[in-house]
Amino acid sequence: MLTTGLQLVDDETERREIRLRILSNLVEGTRAPRVKKEKVLKLDRNLLNRLPENNADLENALYECFLMARRGKTRTVDEWNLDVFWAENIRQLAQDIIKRRWKPSSSKAFISHSPVDREIFAAQFRDRMVHHLLYAVVAPWWNKRFIYDSYSCIRNRGTDFGVNRMQKFMRQVSRNGTRKAYVLKGDLSGYFMSLKRKTLYRKVMWGLRKQFPKGGWLFELCRYLWREVIYDDPCLEARIVGKLNDWECLPSNKSLFCQPRGQGIVIGNLTSQLLSNIMLNEFDWWMKKKMGFCYYGRYVDDFFIIVTKEELDFAKSAMLHEVPEKLRTMGLKMHPKKLYIQEVSHGCPFLGKMVRPFVLTPGKRYLRNMRKAFRDYVEGRASYETMQSYVGMGKHMAGYTEMKKVVSKLESF
């Protein structure tokens, strides 16, 4: 029995050494300078081949939405239940929409702790198909009217695009470091939970009337679906996943359960991401045109401006007075403790990275999660894919030194 125990210890020690060597080799591979490849524009896979024009086309459109919604979800129970009899289920959903019987189903509510504590309402697979249908019809029209420096939930943009744009702005305003430039960054307080559903519906209907000035079948379909999606209250029939005390760590302004009736939208739905951009589109153009901040960018509720030393006083005054007042008129609130003002050479934390004009370094949150992922992988508590993802993120910035420190520390044990 003792021999078996020793053998198990030896096997576990050997497996730990193997995992540590794999990790070390991957980290060493990030030491070589990354060759920048020419960016290839990707087609939006959330668009339909052809928009439906009548009831007969709706079933084919929903089948395309079914394929979109199931990407990466083929192992979930919701997807499997619909996939078994997919043709009959899609036909039934089409009939429910045509006869205006469709209503959003109950969602699963849970708390996500990574990267921060956040309340999530996961829609059922059937409802996600409808979300994809709405997105495919209206998103192309709205995307053309968003500013170029709106980075979230738009094809060929995203977090890396936003970081690179901030870095480019820093170089342009500072003239490659030859003059002083400053970055000012703000954040909205409880953004998704403070959105008024009536205001959102008014904005999407304004866009819908512009997109379909003559009305028609598709206009009526989108109006019906938007009304059901926006005015749905997921708290009424939500299924709690996990423990009720998970909500104790969440502030009241970040929980949909604590909001007054008619306020707040869920985090996680495809339509929620689009609605967040639609809501702040007016603010984006106001910052660019009315306030004159050419070097402005936004990712969801995080926004920044970059100015010269001569423009700094005006920018400070705007961020303290005009910007909060504009947000107040929209029913939103700027976070009083998250106003960041710094010279660009000192860097600015944005989307998980510390951004400087000529270098990207890991942010505090990435470093904390990376150390935990590496340690858990070596001890056998995390998957290879999780560890590899942090190595990949480190390769896109100057993360070799920090990753090497963690590996060296693990090797010393």
Side-chain angles (χ1 to χ4, degrees):
M1 194 64 156
L2 181 60
T3 306
T4 305
L6 291 174
Q7 184 65 40
L8 287 173
V9 171
D10 291 340
D11 290 346
E12 180 57 37
T13 304
E14 185 177 352
R15 285 196 292 269
R16 185 184 187 279
E17 291 298 324
I18 292 173
R19 288 192 292 264
L20 189 55
R21 284 200 298 270
I22 292 173
L23 173 61
S24 180
N25 290 338
L26 280 176
V27 170
E28 285 298 325
T30 66
R31 190 173 187 175
R34 184 168 62 92
V35 178
K36 287 191 175 182
K37 298 180 180 179
E38 184 179 353
K39 186 173 181 179
V40 178
L41 296 180
K42 300 178 181 178
L43 297 176
D44 195 336
R45 297 189 298 169
N46 290 325
L47 300 183
L48 299 173
N49 293 327
R50 187 173 71 88
L51 293 180
E53 298 176 355
N54 48 50
N55 290 341
D57 293 340
L58 183 57
E59 206 170 306
N60 291 332
L62 284 173
Y63 174 70
E64 290 188 55
C65 295
F66 163 70
L67 297 178
M68 296 175 196
R70 76 194 296 264
R71 285 198 303 262
K73 305 289 183 181
T74 53
R75 295 182 180 179
T76 62
V77 175
D78 281 347
E79 191 278 335
W80 186 84
N81 288 336
L82 195 141
D83 202 5
V84 174
F85 302 104
W86 63 267
E88 180 59 33
N89 288 324
I90 290 174
R91 188 177 300 113
Q92 183 61 50
L93 178 58
Q95 287 302 312
D96 289 344
I97 293 174
I98 290 169
K99 296 179 181 179
R100 303 301 190 253
R101 294 191 306 239
W102 176 80
K103 302 284 183 184
S105 306
S106 60
S107 303
K108 290 187 292 186
F110 59 94
I111 301 296
S112 171
H113 299 285
S114 179
V116 295
D117 292 334
R118 187 176 286 124
E119 181 185 71
I120 304 294
F121 283 82
Q124 292 193 24
F125 188 82
R126 190 172 188 260
D127 296 338
R128 290 204 296 270
M129 292 168 57
V130 179
H131 297 165
H132 276 276
L133 177 62
L134 256 179
Y135 180 90
V137 175
V138 303
W141 187 88
W142 276 105
N143 288 346
K144 295 175 183 176
R145 285 150 183 84
F146 294 146
I147 64 170
Y148 187 68
D149 287 288
S150 176
Y151 309 128
S152 66
C153 199
I154 300 176
R155 195 63 174 173
N156 296 310
R157 301 186 202 176
T159 55
D160 286 343
F161 181 84
V163 166
N164 292 334
R165 287 289 287 178
M166 175 186 269
Q167 197 174 37
K168 181 179 180 181
F169 288 166
M170 286 179 170
R171 292 194 296 266
Q172 288 178 338
V173 177
S174 67
R175 292 179 183 172
N176 290 330
T178 60
R179 69 174 182 180
K180 284 191 175 183
Y182 295 83
V183 56
L184 297 88
K185 185 167 74 78
D187 190 4
L188 302 185
S189 178
Y191 175 52
F192 282 91
M193 302 304 142
S194 60
L195 295 178
K196 305 290 192 299
R197 294 170 194 167
K198 187 179 291 187
T199 303
L200 282 174
Y201 185 70
R202 187 177 69 248
K203 285 181 177 291
V204 298
M205 285 308 301
W206 174 88
L208 210 57
R209 293 188 183 97
K210 294 286 185 180
Q211 185 178 358
F212 301 102
K214 297 181 180 180
W217 179 86
L218 196 53
F219 170 82
E220 294 297 333
L221 175 71
C222 291
R223 179 166 67 173
Y224 158 66
L225 294 178
W226 269 132
R227 185 174 64 249
E228 295 298 330
V229 169
I230 292 176
Y231 284 111
D232 173 55
D233 190 350
C235 298
L236 296 179
E237 299 180 358
R239 292 174 291 158
I240 304 296
V241 178
K243 301 177 182 178
L244 287 175
N245 58 12
D246 288 343
W247 270 259
E248 294 177 359
C249 62
L250 204 66
S252 60
N253 68 333
K254 291 185 178 294
S255 174
L256 206 56
F257 290 104
C258 302
Q259 306 310 314
R261 189 173 182 180
Q263 179 174 312
I265 61 174
V266 302
I267 298 175
N269 289 346
L270 182 61
T271 49
S272 298
Q273 305 303 315
L274 177 60
L275 287 170
S276 71
N277 281 336
I278 292 174
M279 183 66 187
L280 285 177
N281 187 45
E282 175 191 346
F283 176 73
D284 293 339
W285 284 108
W286 180 81
M287 290 287 284
K288 285 271 192 180
K289 299 298 183 182
K290 183 68 181 294
M291 299 304 295
F293 295 122
C294 300
Y295 301 99
Y296 162 86
R298 178 183 61 82
Y299 186 91
V300 191
D301 57 351
D302 291 335
F303 62 94
F304 68 87
I305 56 176
I306 298 177
V307 296
T308 61
K309 185 178 181 181
E310 293 73 21
E311 299 167 329
L312 180 60
D313 290 338
F314 171 73
K316 278 184 180 179
S317 176
M319 293 290 275
L320 291 172
H321 301 101
E322 287 87 350
V323 171
E325 179 60 25
K326 174 63 177 177
L327 291 171
R328 189 190 64 78
T329 61
M330 299 172 63
L332 304 173
K333 183 182 178 182
M334 191 168 169
H335 201 296
K337 297 181 180 179
K338 291 189 177 181
L339 178 59
Y340 182 90
I341 304 174
Q342 187 60 270
E343 193 175 343
V344 296
S345 60
H346 295 161
C348 174
F350 187 58
L351 303 180
K353 300 176 182 177
M354 180 61 74
V355 185
R356 294 182 175 85
F358 298 98
V359 65
L360 299 175
T361 54
K364 292 181 180 178
R365 185 184 298 169
Y366 166 82
L367 290 175
R368 181 174 64 250
N369 294 337
M370 178 266 293
R371 294 185 187 109
K372 184 178 185 303
F374 283 10
R375 184 171 61 251
D376 288 349
Y377 171 71
V378 171
E379 300 299 332
R381 296 191 299 269
S383 66
Y384 172 82
E385 289 76 15
T386 300
M387 175 273 294
Q388 190 182 38
S389 67
Y390 281 97
V391 175
M393 285 189 284
K395 190 173 183 178
H396 286 269
M397 47 187 163
Y400 170 77
T401 302
E402 294 296 335
M403 289 191 291
K404 187 62 178 176
K405 286 180 183 177
V406 178
V407 173
S408 300
K409 190 173 182 180
L410 290 171
E411 289 174 340
S412 64
F413 285 115

